Amino acid sequence: MNKIALVISAALMVATPLTSMATPDQDLKAFRKHFTDKFPKIPFSDFVNGVYAVDKASREQWEAFEEFPSYEPYIDKGKVLFDKKFANGKGFADCFPNYKKGIRQNYPYFDTAKDEIVTLEGSINKCLTDNGEEPYKLKKGKITYVGAYIAYLSRGKKFDIKVPNDLGAIKAYNRGKEHFYAKRGQLNMSCADCHYHYAGNHIRADVLSPALGHPTGFPVFRNKWSAKSASGDGMGTLHRRYGGCNKQVRAKPFKAQSDEYKALEYFETYMSNGLEVNGPSQRK
Amino acid sequence: MRLSAHYIKTTASVAAIIGCLGIFAPFSANADEASDIAAGKKLAFDRKKGNCLACHQIEGGDLAGNIGPPLVAMKARFPNFDSLRAQIYDARVKNPNTIMIPFGPHAVLSNKEIELVAKFIQTL
């Protein structure tokens, strides 16, 4: 990074309220405490279950769904894709040598050499393109199958996202944090309005999930997405879901894997450190 | 935001008088008033318009949320019609970080529509 860019970004950081004051670690402690204080009866580990952690009424039906999960066939499809050799004879295992031990818990991470956030979906597609294959579409389909298989093998591992002491990393983290707290759209609401301040409240008939644990179960199979697809495939990535939430407040969604959503994912996943990987999951 | 606050202040005394009149109004409620209230109710319940039920319990509405307070006893809480209308127009004046939609400034509802919604809400 050249000098001018450094000065500008440093100035931006200073101009940003909230963000420049607290370190990511201080943020994390306050964030976690907000939810554990708000929901004193819910064990920390249960925040991986999204809205079902806080909504007793729908939990039972969801548990019944989870007994015969709709996402299961897509884990199998993911395994087939994962094990299939590319035209050059290599495969995903060459890109993800530790996949059997579980790797989902380390995504997204910040690559200081490239000065960018690396997501699991980004790495899946990079593996394809590095090996001369076509990349997958970003919100649904094969990218969610391979993602589901990788998440499945990582179940039970605890999220361990790092924000290295690096200007680019801190900028990326703050960008995600700002997106989370910023009002947007014609309806002027922030992620924090719904998933931090009013988590557990009803918005119409829906209960709002706590942001703590948001990314842990992704990719997810949603009944709503399934109903919209001709084949009944309800799988979607976290960024697909982000787009839906932006639309609800009449804001223009960003593209899946845009810098904006990668930063939001980086912030939300860092906030969820210490929780277990439980993807793929079932959602209504 | 400053403009609306000013607006509230300068109209407060006028509004107080209108508010008092409002107490006696039901006895002389004419057909226009009734149809305004009905139109306001429709706008308040319409998901694409006010969608007030997303956050408030309102008598006559199903599946209401509980993010905001139930809208009951409104004449007691807002004896002044203009301050009720101002609250619906832009809730940020009272609470800058409110989750409630700035219906007026963000053009989610027109001034006329806000007037109608306020008339309906005042009957609760």
Side-chain angles (χ1 to χ4, degrees), chain A residues 8-44:
Chain A
I8 293 175
S9 50
L12 278 174
M13 281 168 55
V14 172
T16 308
L18 289 166
T19 50
S20 52
M21 291 308 179
T23 65
D25 185 50
Q26 288 167 329
D27 285 348
L28 186 154
K29 289 197 176 98
F31 196 88
R32 191 185 287 176
K33 185 173 181 313
H34 169 81
F35 289 105
T36 49
D37 285 354
K38 197 173 167 87
F39 303 103
K41 294 208 185 99
I42 296 174
F44 174 67

PDB file of all heavy atoms in Angstrom, chain A residues 8-44:
ATOM      1  N   ILE A   8      -4.901   8.105   3.791  1.00  0.00           N
ATOM      2  CA  ILE A   8      -6.351   8.212   3.594  1.00  0.00           C
ATOM      3  C   ILE A   8      -7.086   7.194   4.453  1.00  0.00           C
ATOM      4  O   ILE A   8      -8.027   7.527   5.149  1.00  0.00           O
ATOM      5  CB  ILE A   8      -6.726   8.018   2.108  1.00  0.00           C
ATOM      6  CG1 ILE A   8      -6.184   9.188   1.294  1.00  0.00           C
ATOM      7  CG2 ILE A   8      -8.246   7.911   1.931  1.00  0.00           C
ATOM      8  CD1 ILE A   8      -6.367   9.062  -0.185  1.00  0.00           C
ATOM      9  N   SER A   9      -6.605   5.950   4.410  1.00  0.00           N
ATOM     10  CA  SER A   9      -7.347   4.942   5.151  1.00  0.00           C
ATOM     11  C   SER A   9      -7.239   5.183   6.653  1.00  0.00           C
ATOM     12  O   SER A   9      -8.191   4.975   7.382  1.00  0.00           O
ATOM     13  CB  SER A   9      -6.889   3.538   4.784  1.00  0.00           C
ATOM     14  OG  SER A   9      -5.505   3.471   4.866  1.00  0.00           O
ATOM     15  N   ALA A  10      -6.078   5.679   7.075  1.00  0.00           N
ATOM     16  CA  ALA A  10      -5.936   5.987   8.500  1.00  0.00           C
ATOM     17  C   ALA A  10      -6.927   7.089   8.873  1.00  0.00           C
ATOM     18  O   ALA A  10      -7.593   7.024   9.893  1.00  0.00           O
ATOM     19  CB  ALA A  10      -4.512   6.434   8.805  1.00  0.00           C
ATOM     20  N   ALA A  11      -7.062   8.087   7.983  1.00  0.00           N
ATOM     21  CA  ALA A  11      -7.976   9.190   8.241  1.00  0.00           C
ATOM     22  C   ALA A  11      -9.410   8.671   8.292  1.00  0.00           C
ATOM     23  O   ALA A  11     -10.195   9.060   9.152  1.00  0.00           O
ATOM     24  CB  ALA A  11      -7.848  10.242   7.147  1.00  0.00           C
ATOM     25  N   LEU A  12      -9.737   7.770   7.374  1.00  0.00           N
ATOM     26  CA  LEU A  12     -11.083   7.201   7.351  1.00  0.00           C
ATOM     27  C   LEU A  12     -11.403   6.490   8.655  1.00  0.00           C
ATOM     28  O   LEU A  12     -12.483   6.603   9.192  1.00  0.00           O
ATOM     29  CB  LEU A  12     -11.220   6.195   6.202  1.00  0.00           C
ATOM     30  CG  LEU A  12     -11.503   6.810   4.837  1.00  0.00           C
ATOM     31  CD1 LEU A  12     -11.467   5.740   3.760  1.00  0.00           C
ATOM     32  CD2 LEU A  12     -12.854   7.514   4.847  1.00  0.00           C
ATOM     33  N   MET A  13     -10.390   5.791   9.133  1.00  0.00           N
ATOM     34  CA  MET A  13     -10.607   5.040  10.365  1.00  0.00           C
ATOM     35  C   MET A  13     -10.835   5.964  11.550  1.00  0.00           C
ATOM     36  O   MET A  13     -11.670   5.686  12.391  1.00  0.00           O
ATOM     37  CB  MET A  13      -9.427   4.117  10.646  1.00  0.00           C
ATOM     38  CG  MET A  13      -9.475   2.862   9.800  1.00  0.00           C
ATOM     39  SD  MET A  13      -7.949   1.960   9.876  1.00  0.00           S
ATOM     40  CE  MET A  13      -7.789   1.755  11.628  1.00  0.00           C
ATOM     41  N   VAL A  14     -10.104   7.071  11.553  1.00  0.00           N
ATOM     42  CA  VAL A  14     -10.267   8.014  12.654  1.00  0.00           C
ATOM     43  C   VAL A  14     -11.653   8.653  12.593  1.00  0.00           C
ATOM     44  O   VAL A  14     -12.306   8.855  13.594  1.00  0.00           O
ATOM     45  CB  VAL A  14      -9.168   9.103  12.608  1.00  0.00           C
ATOM     46  CG1 VAL A  14      -9.444  10.189  13.634  1.00  0.00           C
ATOM     47  CG2 VAL A  14      -7.806   8.466  12.878  1.00  0.00           C
ATOM     48  N   ALA A  15     -12.104   8.933  11.346  1.00  0.00           N
ATOM     49  CA  ALA A  15     -13.384   9.599  11.170  1.00  0.00           C
ATOM     50  C   ALA A  15     -14.560   8.703  11.528  1.00  0.00           C
ATOM     51  O   ALA A  15     -15.665   9.167  11.699  1.00  0.00           O
ATOM     52  CB  ALA A  15     -13.513  10.063   9.725  1.00  0.00           C
ATOM     53  N   THR A  16     -14.291   7.418  11.641  1.00  0.00           N
ATOM     54  CA  THR A  16     -15.381   6.489  11.877  1.00  0.00           C
ATOM     55  C   THR A  16     -15.725   6.417  13.351  1.00  0.00           C
ATOM     56  O   THR A  16     -14.883   6.061  14.155  1.00  0.00           O
ATOM     57  CB  THR A  16     -14.954   5.079  11.419  1.00  0.00           C
ATOM     58  OG1 THR A  16     -14.481   5.200  10.103  1.00  0.00           O
ATOM     59  CG2 THR A  16     -16.111   4.122  11.459  1.00  0.00           C
ATOM     60  N   PRO A  17     -16.946   6.754  13.704  1.00  0.00           N
ATOM     61  CA  PRO A  17     -17.285   6.658  15.124  1.00  0.00           C
ATOM     62  C   PRO A  17     -17.322   5.190  15.553  1.00  0.00           C
ATOM     63  O   PRO A  17     -17.502   4.322  14.709  1.00  0.00           O
ATOM     64  CB  PRO A  17     -18.671   7.275  15.200  1.00  0.00           C
ATOM     65  CG  PRO A  17     -19.228   7.221  13.817  1.00  0.00           C
ATOM     66  CD  PRO A  17     -18.072   7.143  12.873  1.00  0.00           C
ATOM     67  N   LEU A  18     -17.211   4.923  16.786  1.00  0.00           N
ATOM     68  CA  LEU A  18     -17.249   3.580  17.354  1.00  0.00           C
ATOM     69  C   LEU A  18     -16.049   2.730  16.977  1.00  0.00           C
ATOM     70  O   LEU A  18     -15.320   2.257  17.812  1.00  0.00           O
ATOM     71  CB  LEU A  18     -18.503   2.800  16.904  1.00  0.00           C
ATOM     72  CG  LEU A  18     -19.839   3.232  17.468  1.00  0.00           C
ATOM     73  CD1 LEU A  18     -20.967   2.591  16.671  1.00  0.00           C
ATOM     74  CD2 LEU A  18     -19.952   2.785  18.924  1.00  0.00           C
ATOM     75  N   THR A  19     -15.882   2.573  15.638  1.00  0.00           N
ATOM     76  CA  THR A  19     -14.974   1.546  15.157  1.00  0.00           C
ATOM     77  C   THR A  19     -13.527   1.760  15.551  1.00  0.00           C
ATOM     78  O   THR A  19     -12.856   0.804  15.894  1.00  0.00           O
ATOM     79  CB  THR A  19     -15.058   1.446  13.638  1.00  0.00           C
ATOM     80  OG1 THR A  19     -14.934   2.761  13.107  1.00  0.00           O
ATOM     81  CG2 THR A  19     -16.367   0.854  13.212  1.00  0.00           C
ATOM     82  N   SER A  20     -13.056   2.990  15.473  1.00  0.00           N
ATOM     83  CA  SER A  20     -11.631   3.175  15.695  1.00  0.00           C
ATOM     84  C   SER A  20     -11.286   3.026  17.173  1.00  0.00           C
ATOM     85  O   SER A  20     -10.163   2.798  17.523  1.00  0.00           O
ATOM     86  CB  SER A  20     -11.205   4.543  15.173  1.00  0.00           C
ATOM     87  OG  SER A  20     -12.041   5.526  15.730  1.00  0.00           O
ATOM     88  N   MET A  21     -12.282   3.139  18.018  1.00  0.00           N
ATOM     89  CA  MET A  21     -12.031   3.090  19.449  1.00  0.00           C
ATOM     90  C   MET A  21     -11.755   1.680  19.945  1.00  0.00           C
ATOM     91  O   MET A  21     -10.727   1.418  20.529  1.00  0.00           O
ATOM     92  CB  MET A  21     -13.228   3.658  20.205  1.00  0.00           C
ATOM     93  CG  MET A  21     -13.397   5.140  20.003  1.00  0.00           C
ATOM     94  SD  MET A  21     -11.841   5.987  20.349  1.00  0.00           S
ATOM     95  CE  MET A  21     -12.266   7.658  20.035  1.00  0.00           C
ATOM     96  N   ALA A  22     -12.697   0.789  19.706  1.00  0.00           N
ATOM     97  CA  ALA A  22     -12.576  -0.547  20.273  1.00  0.00           C
ATOM     98  C   ALA A  22     -11.773  -1.453  19.356  1.00  0.00           C
ATOM     99  O   ALA A  22     -11.832  -1.322  18.139  1.00  0.00           O
ATOM    100  CB  ALA A  22     -13.968  -1.125  20.478  1.00  0.00           C
ATOM    101  N   THR A  23     -11.029  -2.365  19.941  1.00  0.00           N
ATOM    102  CA  THR A  23     -10.343  -3.373  19.137  1.00  0.00           C
ATOM    103  C   THR A  23     -11.352  -4.472  18.816  1.00  0.00           C
ATOM    104  O   THR A  23     -12.364  -4.616  19.512  1.00  0.00           O
ATOM    105  CB  THR A  23      -9.178  -3.994  19.923  1.00  0.00           C
ATOM    106  OG1 THR A  23      -9.737  -4.703  21.046  1.00  0.00           O
ATOM    107  CG2 THR A  23      -8.195  -2.940  20.413  1.00  0.00           C
ATOM    108  N   PRO A  24     -11.074  -5.259  17.769  1.00  0.00           N
ATOM    109  CA  PRO A  24     -11.995  -6.359  17.453  1.00  0.00           C
ATOM    110  C   PRO A  24     -12.254  -7.251  18.675  1.00  0.00           C
ATOM    111  O   PRO A  24     -13.381  -7.691  18.895  1.00  0.00           O
ATOM    112  CB  PRO A  24     -11.268  -7.111  16.340  1.00  0.00           C
ATOM    113  CG  PRO A  24     -10.457  -6.051  15.655  1.00  0.00           C
ATOM    114  CD  PRO A  24     -10.022  -5.120  16.757  1.00  0.00           C
ATOM    115  N   ASP A  25     -11.222  -7.466  19.462  1.00  0.00           N
ATOM    116  CA  ASP A  25     -11.389  -8.336  20.622  1.00  0.00           C
ATOM    117  C   ASP A  25     -12.340  -7.728  21.652  1.00  0.00           C
ATOM    118  O   ASP A  25     -13.190  -8.425  22.224  1.00  0.00           O
ATOM    119  CB  ASP A  25     -10.018  -8.622  21.253  1.00  0.00           C
ATOM    120  CG  ASP A  25     -10.127  -9.621  22.392  1.00  0.00           C
ATOM    121  OD1 ASP A  25     -10.750 -10.681  22.160  1.00  0.00           O
ATOM    122  OD2 ASP A  25      -9.627  -9.336  23.495  1.00  0.00           O
ATOM    123  N   GLN A  26     -12.224  -6.411  21.867  1.00  0.00           N
ATOM    124  CA  GLN A  26     -13.156  -5.740  22.790  1.00  0.00           C
ATOM    125  C   GLN A  26     -14.583  -5.789  22.230  1.00  0.00           C
ATOM    126  O   GLN A  26     -15.536  -6.009  22.964  1.00  0.00           O
ATOM    127  CB  GLN A  26     -12.736  -4.278  23.000  1.00  0.00           C
ATOM    128  CG  GLN A  26     -11.484  -4.139  23.837  1.00  0.00           C
ATOM    129  CD  GLN A  26     -10.905  -2.726  23.764  1.00  0.00           C
ATOM    130  OE1 GLN A  26     -11.020  -2.038  22.754  1.00  0.00           O
ATOM    131  NE2 GLN A  26     -10.268  -2.294  24.846  1.00  0.00           N
ATOM    132  N   ASP A  27     -14.694  -5.569  20.922  1.00  0.00           N
ATOM    133  CA  ASP A  27     -16.005  -5.665  20.269  1.00  0.00           C
ATOM    134  C   ASP A  27     -16.635  -7.028  20.530  1.00  0.00           C
ATOM    135  O   ASP A  27     -17.804  -7.141  20.873  1.00  0.00           O
ATOM    136  CB  ASP A  27     -15.872  -5.516  18.747  1.00  0.00           C
ATOM    137  CG  ASP A  27     -15.612  -4.089  18.305  1.00  0.00           C
ATOM    138  OD1 ASP A  27     -15.759  -3.171  19.138  1.00  0.00           O
ATOM    139  OD2 ASP A  27     -15.260  -3.902  17.121  1.00  0.00           O
ATOM    140  N   LEU A  28     -15.824  -8.047  20.320  1.00  0.00           N
ATOM    141  CA  LEU A  28     -16.334  -9.417  20.454  1.00  0.00           C
ATOM    142  C   LEU A  28     -16.883  -9.663  21.857  1.00  0.00           C
ATOM    143  O   LEU A  28     -17.981 -10.204  22.024  1.00  0.00           O
ATOM    144  CB  LEU A  28     -15.229 -10.411  20.120  1.00  0.00           C
ATOM    145  CG  LEU A  28     -15.611 -11.884  20.059  1.00  0.00           C
ATOM    146  CD1 LEU A  28     -14.667 -12.632  19.135  1.00  0.00           C
ATOM    147  CD2 LEU A  28     -15.607 -12.561  21.413  1.00  0.00           C
ATOM    148  N   LYS A  29     -16.144  -9.228  22.850  1.00  0.00           N
ATOM    149  CA  LYS A  29     -16.574  -9.461  24.237  1.00  0.00           C
ATOM    150  C   LYS A  29     -17.896  -8.752  24.507  1.00  0.00           C
ATOM    151  O   LYS A  29     -18.811  -9.318  25.119  1.00  0.00           O
ATOM    152  CB  LYS A  29     -15.501  -8.998  25.214  1.00  0.00           C
ATOM    153  CG  LYS A  29     -14.287  -9.909  25.177  1.00  0.00           C
ATOM    154  CD  LYS A  29     -13.398  -9.712  26.419  1.00  0.00           C
ATOM    155  CE  LYS A  29     -12.241 -10.700  26.397  1.00  0.00           C
ATOM    156  NZ  LYS A  29     -11.003 -10.081  25.871  1.00  0.00           N
ATOM    157  N   ALA A  30     -18.003  -7.501  24.040  1.00  0.00           N
ATOM    158  CA  ALA A  30     -19.227  -6.724  24.276  1.00  0.00           C
ATOM    159  C   ALA A  30     -20.412  -7.333  23.519  1.00  0.00           C
ATOM    160  O   ALA A  30     -21.530  -7.403  24.020  1.00  0.00           O
ATOM    161  CB  ALA A  30     -19.011  -5.275  23.855  1.00  0.00           C
ATOM    162  N   PHE A  31     -20.136  -7.772  22.305  1.00  0.00           N
ATOM    163  CA  PHE A  31     -21.169  -8.353  21.445  1.00  0.00           C
ATOM    164  C   PHE A  31     -21.729  -9.625  22.084  1.00  0.00           C
ATOM    165  O   PHE A  31     -22.933  -9.815  22.206  1.00  0.00           O
ATOM    166  CB  PHE A  31     -20.518  -8.681  20.093  1.00  0.00           C
ATOM    167  CG  PHE A  31     -21.467  -8.930  18.957  1.00  0.00           C
ATOM    168  CD1 PHE A  31     -21.927  -7.892  18.172  1.00  0.00           C
ATOM    169  CD2 PHE A  31     -21.861 -10.225  18.635  1.00  0.00           C
ATOM    170  CE1 PHE A  31     -22.768  -8.118  17.088  1.00  0.00           C
ATOM    171  CE2 PHE A  31     -22.703 -10.468  17.561  1.00  0.00           C
ATOM    172  CZ  PHE A  31     -23.157  -9.406  16.785  1.00  0.00           C
ATOM    173  N   ARG A  32     -20.834 -10.468  22.505  1.00  0.00           N
ATOM    174  CA  ARG A  32     -21.247 -11.737  23.114  1.00  0.00           C
ATOM    175  C   ARG A  32     -22.033 -11.477  24.404  1.00  0.00           C
ATOM    176  O   ARG A  32     -23.060 -12.091  24.650  1.00  0.00           O
ATOM    177  CB  ARG A  32     -20.003 -12.570  23.398  1.00  0.00           C
ATOM    178  CG  ARG A  32     -20.310 -13.995  23.775  1.00  0.00           C
ATOM    179  CD  ARG A  32     -19.057 -14.733  24.152  1.00  0.00           C
ATOM    180  NE  ARG A  32     -18.221 -15.042  22.989  1.00  0.00           N
ATOM    181  CZ  ARG A  32     -17.038 -15.626  23.104  1.00  0.00           C
ATOM    182  NH1 ARG A  32     -16.552 -15.941  24.289  1.00  0.00           N
ATOM    183  NH2 ARG A  32     -16.328 -15.872  22.028  1.00  0.00           N
ATOM    184  N   LYS A  33     -21.545 -10.528  25.184  1.00  0.00           N
ATOM    185  CA  LYS A  33     -22.191 -10.219  26.461  1.00  0.00           C
ATOM    186  C   LYS A  33     -23.606  -9.678  26.230  1.00  0.00           C
ATOM    187  O   LYS A  33     -24.533  -9.993  26.975  1.00  0.00           O
ATOM    188  CB  LYS A  33     -21.344  -9.196  27.227  1.00  0.00           C
ATOM    189  CG  LYS A  33     -21.859  -8.890  28.620  1.00  0.00           C
ATOM    190  CD  LYS A  33     -20.873  -7.994  29.381  1.00  0.00           C
ATOM    191  CE  LYS A  33     -21.317  -7.667  30.796  1.00  0.00           C
ATOM    192  NZ  LYS A  33     -22.685  -7.247  30.968  1.00  0.00           N
ATOM    193  N   HIS A  34     -23.766  -8.868  25.192  1.00  0.00           N
ATOM    194  CA  HIS A  34     -25.094  -8.340  24.871  1.00  0.00           C
ATOM    195  C   HIS A  34     -26.100  -9.491  24.750  1.00  0.00           C
ATOM    196  O   HIS A  34     -27.200  -9.436  25.300  1.00  0.00           O
ATOM    197  CB  HIS A  34     -25.033  -7.549  23.558  1.00  0.00           C
ATOM    198  CG  HIS A  34     -26.370  -7.185  22.980  1.00  0.00           C
ATOM    199  ND1 HIS A  34     -27.097  -6.111  23.429  1.00  0.00           N
ATOM    200  CD2 HIS A  34     -27.136  -7.773  22.017  1.00  0.00           C
ATOM    201  CE1 HIS A  34     -28.236  -6.049  22.764  1.00  0.00           C
ATOM    202  NE2 HIS A  34     -28.289  -7.045  21.896  1.00  0.00           N
ATOM    203  N   PHE A  35     -25.699 -10.545  24.045  1.00  0.00           N
ATOM    204  CA  PHE A  35     -26.640 -11.643  23.811  1.00  0.00           C
ATOM    205  C   PHE A  35     -26.770 -12.568  25.011  1.00  0.00           C
ATOM    206  O   PHE A  35     -27.867 -13.035  25.320  1.00  0.00           O
ATOM    207  CB  PHE A  35     -26.241 -12.425  22.557  1.00  0.00           C
ATOM    208  CG  PHE A  35     -26.493 -11.633  21.300  1.00  0.00           C
ATOM    209  CD1 PHE A  35     -25.451 -11.042  20.598  1.00  0.00           C
ATOM    210  CD2 PHE A  35     -27.786 -11.451  20.832  1.00  0.00           C
ATOM    211  CE1 PHE A  35     -25.694 -10.291  19.456  1.00  0.00           C
ATOM    212  CE2 PHE A  35     -28.043 -10.705  19.686  1.00  0.00           C
ATOM    213  CZ  PHE A  35     -26.996 -10.129  18.999  1.00  0.00           C
ATOM    214  N   THR A  36     -25.668 -12.819  25.694  1.00  0.00           N
ATOM    215  CA  THR A  36     -25.791 -13.708  26.841  1.00  0.00           C
ATOM    216  C   THR A  36     -26.554 -13.008  27.971  1.00  0.00           C
ATOM    217  O   THR A  36     -27.267 -13.662  28.730  1.00  0.00           O
ATOM    218  CB  THR A  36     -24.417 -14.235  27.310  1.00  0.00           C
ATOM    219  OG1 THR A  36     -23.522 -13.136  27.431  1.00  0.00           O
ATOM    220  CG2 THR A  36     -23.828 -15.234  26.335  1.00  0.00           C
ATOM    221  N   ASP A  37     -26.472 -11.671  28.054  1.00  0.00           N
ATOM    222  CA  ASP A  37     -27.283 -10.925  29.040  1.00  0.00           C
ATOM    223  C   ASP A  37     -28.750 -10.903  28.634  1.00  0.00           C
ATOM    224  O   ASP A  37     -29.645 -11.036  29.459  1.00  0.00           O
ATOM    225  CB  ASP A  37     -26.805  -9.466  29.151  1.00  0.00           C
ATOM    226  CG  ASP A  37     -25.511  -9.337  29.934  1.00  0.00           C
ATOM    227  OD1 ASP A  37     -25.049 -10.371  30.478  1.00  0.00           O
ATOM    228  OD2 ASP A  37     -24.957  -8.227  30.002  1.00  0.00           O
ATOM    229  N   LYS A  38     -28.980 -10.730  27.344  1.00  0.00           N
ATOM    230  CA  LYS A  38     -30.342 -10.620  26.828  1.00  0.00           C
ATOM    231  C   LYS A  38     -31.085 -11.960  26.932  1.00  0.00           C
ATOM    232  O   LYS A  38     -32.299 -11.992  27.118  1.00  0.00           O
ATOM    233  CB  LYS A  38     -30.253 -10.176  25.365  1.00  0.00           C
ATOM    234  CG  LYS A  38     -31.520  -9.622  24.759  1.00  0.00           C
ATOM    235  CD  LYS A  38     -31.190  -9.064  23.357  1.00  0.00           C
ATOM    236  CE  LYS A  38     -32.420  -8.776  22.560  1.00  0.00           C
ATOM    237  NZ  LYS A  38     -32.994  -7.458  22.748  1.00  0.00           N
ATOM    238  N   PHE A  39     -30.331 -13.050  26.766  1.00  0.00           N
ATOM    239  CA  PHE A  39     -30.933 -14.385  26.809  1.00  0.00           C
ATOM    240  C   PHE A  39     -30.214 -15.234  27.851  1.00  0.00           C
ATOM    241  O   PHE A  39     -29.508 -16.192  27.503  1.00  0.00           O
ATOM    242  CB  PHE A  39     -30.845 -15.055  25.431  1.00  0.00           C
ATOM    243  CG  PHE A  39     -31.483 -14.262  24.323  1.00  0.00           C
ATOM    244  CD1 PHE A  39     -30.706 -13.540  23.429  1.00  0.00           C
ATOM    245  CD2 PHE A  39     -32.868 -14.237  24.175  1.00  0.00           C
ATOM    246  CE1 PHE A  39     -31.299 -12.800  22.399  1.00  0.00           C
ATOM    247  CE2 PHE A  39     -33.464 -13.510  23.151  1.00  0.00           C
ATOM    248  CZ  PHE A  39     -32.686 -12.788  22.261  1.00  0.00           C
ATOM    249  N   PRO A  40     -30.408 -14.886  29.131  1.00  0.00           N
ATOM    250  CA  PRO A  40     -29.593 -15.550  30.167  1.00  0.00           C
ATOM    251  C   PRO A  40     -29.829 -17.066  30.264  1.00  0.00           C
ATOM    252  O   PRO A  40     -28.965 -17.790  30.747  1.00  0.00           O
ATOM    253  CB  PRO A  40     -30.020 -14.834  31.455  1.00  0.00           C
ATOM    254  CG  PRO A  40     -31.306 -14.148  31.151  1.00  0.00           C
ATOM    255  CD  PRO A  40     -31.306 -13.865  29.683  1.00  0.00           C
ATOM    256  N   LYS A  41     -30.981 -17.525  29.776  1.00  0.00           N
ATOM    257  CA  LYS A  41     -31.267 -18.964  29.912  1.00  0.00           C
ATOM    258  C   LYS A  41     -30.730 -19.791  28.759  1.00  0.00           C
ATOM    259  O   LYS A  41     -30.763 -21.016  28.806  1.00  0.00           O
ATOM    260  CB  LYS A  41     -32.786 -19.168  29.998  1.00  0.00           C
ATOM    261  CG  LYS A  41     -33.395 -18.586  31.264  1.00  0.00           C
ATOM    262  CD  LYS A  41     -34.659 -19.361  31.671  1.00  0.00           C
ATOM    263  CE  LYS A  41     -35.336 -18.699  32.851  1.00  0.00           C
ATOM    264  NZ  LYS A  41     -36.473 -17.845  32.411  1.00  0.00           N
ATOM    265  N   ILE A  42     -30.276 -19.119  27.711  1.00  0.00           N
ATOM    266  CA  ILE A  42     -29.811 -19.868  26.539  1.00  0.00           C
ATOM    267  C   ILE A  42     -28.316 -20.110  26.661  1.00  0.00           C
ATOM    268  O   ILE A  42     -27.524 -19.175  26.780  1.00  0.00           O
ATOM    269  CB  ILE A  42     -30.141 -19.090  25.251  1.00  0.00           C
ATOM    270  CG1 ILE A  42     -31.663 -18.990  25.134  1.00  0.00           C
ATOM    271  CG2 ILE A  42     -29.537 -19.753  24.022  1.00  0.00           C
ATOM    272  CD1 ILE A  42     -32.135 -18.134  24.011  1.00  0.00           C
ATOM    273  N   PRO A  43     -27.909 -21.411  26.655  1.00  0.00           N
ATOM    274  CA  PRO A  43     -26.470 -21.683  26.741  1.00  0.00           C
ATOM    275  C   PRO A  43     -25.758 -21.095  25.524  1.00  0.00           C
ATOM    276  O   PRO A  43     -26.319 -21.088  24.421  1.00  0.00           O
ATOM    277  CB  PRO A  43     -26.383 -23.208  26.705  1.00  0.00           C
ATOM    278  CG  PRO A  43     -27.779 -23.725  26.801  1.00  0.00           C
ATOM    279  CD  PRO A  43     -28.720 -22.616  26.500  1.00  0.00           C
ATOM    280  N   PHE A  44     -24.559 -20.609  25.711  1.00  0.00           N
ATOM    281  CA  PHE A  44     -23.791 -19.977  24.630  1.00  0.00           C
ATOM    282  C   PHE A  44     -23.762 -20.870  23.390  1.00  0.00           C
ATOM    283  O   PHE A  44     -23.990 -20.406  22.265  1.00  0.00           O
ATOM    284  CB  PHE A  44     -22.379 -19.666  25.132  1.00  0.00           C
ATOM    285  CG  PHE A  44     -21.463 -19.141  24.074  1.00  0.00           C
ATOM    286  CD1 PHE A  44     -21.688 -17.893  23.490  1.00  0.00           C
ATOM    287  CD2 PHE A  44     -20.356 -19.885  23.655  1.00  0.00           C
ATOM    288  CE1 PHE A  44     -20.840 -17.395  22.501  1.00  0.00           C
ATOM    289  CE2 PHE A  44     -19.500 -19.398  22.674  1.00  0.00           C
ATOM    290  CZ  PHE A  44     -19.739 -18.160  22.098  1.00  0.00           C
TER     291      PHE A  44
END
